[in-house]
Amino acid sequence: MAYDLIVIGAGPAGYVCAIRAAQLGMKVALVDKRKNGGGTCVNIGCIPSKALLYASEMYEEAAHGLGPLGIVVAAPKLDLTTMMKHKDDTVDANVKGLAFLFKKNKIDFHVGAARIAAPGKVDVAGEDGRTTQIETKAIVIATGSDVAQLPGVEIDEKRIVSSTGALSLETPPAKLLVVGAGVIGLELGSVWARLGAEVIVVEFLDRILPGMDGEVAKQFQRLLEKQGFKFHLGHKVARIDKSGARLKTTIEPSKGGEASVLESDVALIAIGRRPYTNGLGLENVGVKTERGQVVIDEHFRTNIEGIYAIGDVVRGPMLAHKGEDEGVAVAEILAGQHGHVNYDVIPSVVYTSPEIASVGKTEEELKSLGIAYNVGKFPFSANGRARSMRKTDGFVKILADATTDRVLGAHIMGYGAGEMIHEAAVLMEFGGSAEDLARTCHAHPTLSEAVKEAALGVAKSSIHI
Ligand code: FAD
Ligand code: NAI
């Protein structure tokens, strides 16, 4: 059987690459160990976590958000089984949608572990123990990432869990210890905090959400503390003792100092993810890796002719949409077109409440690059729509080049931030200025008017503050 393209890994990077390549006329095989398409994102990542974040936010809203609007309801009761069914049904609908798309685009989906035998040759070990070799002109590696382990701590997915176990707990833990104040820790910590857990976060650095704008992270930490989160910043976990009925976690200051012990019912290890290439046979064919990542050039080519790589397994942010855009770009390159990803404009969203969204440079990055910039800021507390919805926490911050006024970064903390960020992304894609954004008529009353007002603020001409 000969293909134009074999894509290894059916996550967002791989399956999008396969669909785009098929659209462009290639004969495509997509291989995954999972029998379902969608990879980490659809099966144990973006999609199930957002289903639980939405459901738990509604639970919280029913408990505390409706009374002040004059809606009197009895205290809500948690039916975790149904909430988990909502999560599973959501995953299932996405998986089925992908199966339909593979069929529609005539993509051959092979279930099994792929190993590159040689350039142009891929061995697929099926569940029945049989290995089939398939041949191709080009191979795209899209094998994604896996949970980073904490040395000396064994994840059992029951009491000491990764994000996968944290998406399927059978009851809300009375006390949840989260190791790592990154995206997973704060999103899944929020789910269980809303469903009744006391959440304690241990973070190695002296701030939460490294990489996000520092001012946003600081204000967000205060909001999370108001929601009941407790933080031990500048601390690391030395060990977790699971011999007793409760977990006993020894933490110590990152810079050295006295240790202390925290008790909890469940511990969530969320200290990052690592590129995944186990069993892929990269060493056979001589594909170069660095710190686990497959090394590629600006056209997604590895050092071996005919082998490309995209998604979490290569450099750049580990985000589904970054992988998807790389998937489209590499398919277009293979078809002789000019596929390209603009890494300066990749939005990222933390789906907590409020949401945090950002695109482009943070203030810290602009300072370290020595780029002079102006800041425009606008709080949601001064936005009429936000007041009418009682969603006044947070603000919009626009960073624009001091000389050209070109927007270099946008940071939003607030209700709906994950949707609003895209007007800044589109503007930045077109090289637009803060004035362009400020002079664009925005419908009233909308939360997005806060984006316009922040853009006006760059030239100190906000109207409503
Ligand atoms: P993956 O999705 O990891 O897919 C790789 C696939 O390759 C897997 O299905 C695996 O089975 C398969 N594979 C690996 N090796 C082989 C082999 N040898 N043979 C055959 N198949 C193989 N990102 C966002 O942008 N937004 C979010 O809201 C978000 N939420 C997340 C929540 C959680 C809890 C987690 C864990 C991640 C989240 N992410 C989110 C990150 C996102 O899931 C990843 O960035 C994305 O899935 C990466 O896509 P990928 O295609 O590169 O790899
Ligand atoms: P992360 O990189 O976001 O955060 C990990 C945190 O753990 C960091 O703050 C780090 O300083 C800390 N840490 C590292 N070692 C530690 C230690 N020994 N003790 C205490 N703290 C330690 O990684 P996370 O949250 O695991 O997420 C993995 C990836 O998944 C991220 O890169 C993210 O891009 C992606 N993701 C994206 C989401 C989104 O877009 N909404 C949601 C969830 C995950």
Side-chain angles (χ1 to χ4, degrees):
M1 221 187 310
Y3 290 98
D4 295 311
L5 172 64
I6 296 178
V7 182
I8 306 176
Y15 84 70
V16 168
C17 177
I19 292 175
R20 185 71 187 122
Q23 283 177 348
L24 292 168
M26 284 175 242
K27 182 162 172 50
V28 183
L30 182 57
V31 189
D32 204 296
K33 291 182 202 175
R34 285 190 171 90
K35 66 175 192 317
N36 293 334
T40 304
C41 177
V42 170
N43 293 284
I44 51 164
C46 327
I47 298 300
S49 61
K50 267 77 255 180
L52 288 185
L53 276 156
Y54 180 74
S56 61
E57 191 175 344
M58 291 301 100
Y59 180 75
E60 174 74 21
E61 201 68 12
H64 304 291
L66 298 181
L69 301 176
I71 304 165
V72 183
V73 289
K77 277 198 214 132
L78 177 63
D79 171 0
L80 190 58
T81 309
T82 302
M83 199 178 275
M84 289 293 172
K85 183 177 179 300
H86 158 65
K87 176 203 69 173
D88 295 338
D89 289 348
T90 308
V91 169
D92 198 44
N94 279 269
V95 165
K96 287 198 175 110
L98 287 177
F100 165 78
L101 291 175
F102 299 159
K103 212 167 168 185
K104 177 182 160 199
N105 287 285
K106 301 189 174 52
I107 294 166
D108 288 345
F109 189 72
H110 297 257
V111 180
R115 185 172 165 281
I116 304 174
K121 289 187 182 13
V122 175
D123 288 339
V124 181
E127 275 177 325
D128 57 4
R130 287 226 304 263
T131 297
T132 320
Q133 188 163 88
I134 46 178
E135 296 195 4
T136 179
K137 289 182 195 146
I139 296 172
V140 170
I141 299 169
T143 48
S145 62
D146 197 8
V147 176
Q149 305 283 330
L150 190 59
V153 175
E154 194 200 333
I155 291 175
D156 59 27
E157 299 295 12
K158 290 282 173 217
R159 292 208 294 162
I160 303 180
V161 298
S162 70
S163 51
T164 306
L167 287 168
S168 296
L169 296 179
E170 280 163 14
T171 50
K175 224 177 199 178
L176 173 67
L177 180 91
V178 175
V179 187
V183 200
I184 291 182
L186 300 184
E187 284 189 357
L188 293 180
S190 291
V191 166
W192 294 108
R194 293 167 187 164
L195 301 183
E198 184 188 337
V199 177
I200 312 157
V201 184
V202 180
E203 164 60 47
F204 186 82
L205 301 174
D206 55 10
R207 57 164 292 173
I208 67 169
L209 290 178
M212 285 279 183
D213 187 87
E215 185 184 12
V216 170
K218 209 173 247 171
Q219 293 213 21
F220 183 51
Q221 187 184 333
R222 267 185 236 135
L223 291 175
L224 286 176
E225 281 164 349
K226 274 212 254 168
Q227 293 171 23
F229 276 64
K230 293 197 177 71
F231 289 96
H232 294 270
L233 301 184
H235 276 76
K236 61 180 180 192
V237 168
R239 63 192 156 275
I240 303 181
D241 174 3
K242 56 185 224 177
S243 58
R246 302 190 89 196
L247 300 173
K248 288 198 174 76
T249 301
T250 305
I251 63 166
E252 36 190 57
S254 310
K255 292 176 186 145
E258 215 169 296
S260 49
V261 174
L262 299 171
E263 287 200 6
S264 69
D265 303 283
V266 173
L268 163 60
I269 313 297
I271 59 167
R273 294 180 62 84
R274 298 280 166 266
Y276 182 81
T277 56
N278 294 3
L280 198 53
L282 296 187
E283 52 302 328
N284 293 340
V285 270
V287 171
K288 220 158 102 185
T289 59
E290 246 170 45
R291 285 172 290 113
Q293 280 173 358
V294 177
V295 179
I296 50 165
D297 67 8
E298 68 274 27
H299 303 298
F300 312 99
R301 291 182 296 209
T302 68
N303 59 313
I304 303 294
E305 174 103 37
I307 305 183
Y308 301 74
I310 53 172
D312 278 12
V313 80
V314 301
R315 82 283 173 275
M318 287 185 170
L319 295 172
H321 42 286
K322 172 262 192 189
E324 292 186 30
D325 283 10
E326 289 177 337
V328 169
V330 78
E332 291 178 349
I333 289 170
L334 287 169
Q337 300 182 0
H338 302 281
H340 170 75
V341 175
N342 178 5
Y343 290 96
D344 289 334
V345 186
I346 295 185
S348 76
V349 179
V350 189
Y351 297 83
T352 42
S353 68
E355 286 181 353
I356 296 176
S358 89
V359 60
K361 300 274 187 282
T362 63
E363 280 204 60
E364 290 78 12
E365 283 170 330
L366 291 175
K367 278 184 191 137
S368 75
L369 291 167
I371 297 172
Y373 61 93
N374 291 323
V375 185
K377 250 193 282 185
F378 193 82
F380 285 104
S381 57
N383 172 280
R385 185 72 189 283
R387 284 191 198 123
S388 74
M389 297 162 69
R390 301 187 78 255
K391 300 290 182 198
T392 50
D393 282 335
F395 61 95
V396 181
K397 172 152 109 176
I398 303 285
L399 306 172
D401 187 289
T403 316
T404 64
D405 196 38
R406 185 178 175 148
V407 172
L408 303 173
H411 306 276
I412 309 177
M413 174 168 78
Y415 186 82
E419 302 296 335
M420 276 181 274
I421 197 67
H422 297 101
E423 68 167 304
V426 171
L427 179 94
M428 287 169 70
E429 239 347 297
F430 284 91
S433 66
E435 186 179 350
D436 289 329
L437 188 48
R439 289 192 184 275
T440 301
C441 189
H442 281 60
H444 176 75
T446 55
L447 296 170
S448 300
E449 284 174 291
V451 179
K452 174 187 165 112
E453 288 276 7
L456 279 165
V458 170
K460 310 219 171 333
S461 51
S462 299
I463 300 293
H464 292 92
I465 199 161

